Amino acid sequence: MNYTELITAAEHFAREQLSQDTTGHDWFHTDRVRNTAALIARMEGANEVICTVAALLHDVADEKLNPSKEAGLLKVQDWLAEHLPDEAACKMIMEIIGTMSFSGGGGAPMSTLEGQVVQDADRLDALGAIGITRTMVFSGAKGRPVYDPEIPPRDESLKQEYRDYSKGTAVNHFYEKLLKLKDLMNTPYGKQLAEERHGFMLIFLEQFYKEWNQGAE
């Protein structure tokens, strides 16, 4: 199997599927996740090809971009069946993609190192300066306000209300999801990378509130 050709084909497929996205789950997000996953894979001794392909395809299956999670997973499964004859590799990639979302798999842990790597890479792209920017873009696309001091963050399970975009604000999303990610990282190197990005978000929030309340009594 020519893995260079497989990765190139996966790149083209992901670009085709995600090129029109305006919610922060576009091709550039996928490309960043792919690069970060490959980096973590090298640091942690994971299979870089599996990590790369899974990272490239992870948002093609995302339920936010498909009629349902099942429809998205079937789309990726059909593509893999056509391009990757290794059934064991296909199964591993599908398991990674099906489990890796924040609420996906009912919170089931990744069963492979490769899954842990790709999940860490995806979560890292929700942190730091990139994560802040993506949160604002996504909230704007879904009609959510940046901030409303009268709307507190939700304490309930994310899976239950995560897709209810009519509620909440962009800033609340930091407390409902983003600031929890650092403690959910799987790999030692992923945790190391998350620390800096987490710290930057805390600095951003401190400055945000300072500016929001400036001059107020």
Side-chain angles (χ1 to χ4, degrees):
M1 178 67 196
N2 187 322
Y3 291 116
T4 300
E5 291 182 2
L6 171 66
I7 291 170
T8 298
E11 288 176 355
H12 291 162
F13 183 51
R15 277 180 180 270
E16 176 187 65
Q17 295 292 315
L18 304 171
S19 61
Q20 302 302 312
D21 179 76
T22 57
T23 70
H25 296 83
D26 53 16
W27 160 250
F28 296 109
H29 160 68
T30 292
D31 193 34
R32 290 190 303 271
V33 173
R34 177 264 296 272
N35 291 334
T36 303
L39 172 62
I40 299 174
R42 291 191 294 270
M43 296 295 293
E44 300 292 342
N47 184 312
E48 190 173 340
V49 173
I50 293 291
C51 292
T52 297
V53 175
L56 283 168
L57 300 179
H58 81 281
D59 262 347
V60 173
D62 195 286
E63 61 184 300
K64 292 186 291 295
L65 306 176
N66 289 282
S68 66
K69 184 173 184 177
E70 291 73 22
L73 289 171
L74 182 60
K75 181 194 299 183
V76 173
Q77 184 173 309
D78 288 346
W79 186 91
L80 283 171
E82 181 179 348
H83 292 84
L84 181 58
D86 186 333
E87 291 186 11
C90 288
K91 183 178 179 180
M92 182 182 293
I93 292 168
M94 288 304 303
E95 182 180 350
I96 291 170
I97 293 173
T99 309
M100 70 178 290
S101 68
F102 186 81
S103 58
M110 283 292 181
S111 63
T112 63
L113 175 59
E114 287 72 22
Q116 293 176 0
V117 166
V118 179
Q119 188 174 58
D120 279 2
D122 189 43
R123 287 172 172 171
L124 282 164
D125 210 56
L127 296 174
I130 292 290
I132 292 168
T133 306
R134 291 181 65 222
T135 297
M136 298 306 172
V137 167
F138 186 79
S139 294
K142 299 300 180 180
R144 294 193 303 194
V146 170
Y147 179 57
D148 184 337
E150 296 186 1
I151 302 177
R154 290 170 286 178
D155 295 326
E156 299 180 33
S157 166
L158 278 175
K159 183 169 178 61
Q160 189 173 18
E161 291 199 22
Y162 184 52
R163 303 304 182 204
D164 188 351
Y165 304 119
S166 65
K167 300 180 181 180
T169 68
V171 169
N172 281 353
H173 190 61
F174 285 75
Y175 301 98
E176 294 164 350
K177 176 182 176 180
L178 305 185
L179 293 175
K180 299 178 180 180
L181 294 177
K182 176 175 71 71
D183 294 330
L184 295 174
M185 302 301 289
N186 300 295
T187 65
Y189 193 61
K191 291 176 182 178
Q192 179 182 330
L193 294 175
E195 286 287 346
E196 180 184 6
R197 298 189 185 204
H198 180 89
F200 182 83
M201 291 197 305
L202 293 177
I203 293 170
F204 167 82
L205 287 170
E206 181 180 0
Q207 181 69 17
F208 178 90
Y209 292 126
K210 179 179 178 181
E211 294 178 14
W212 184 277
N213 295 309
Q214 197 160 52
E217 295 183 4

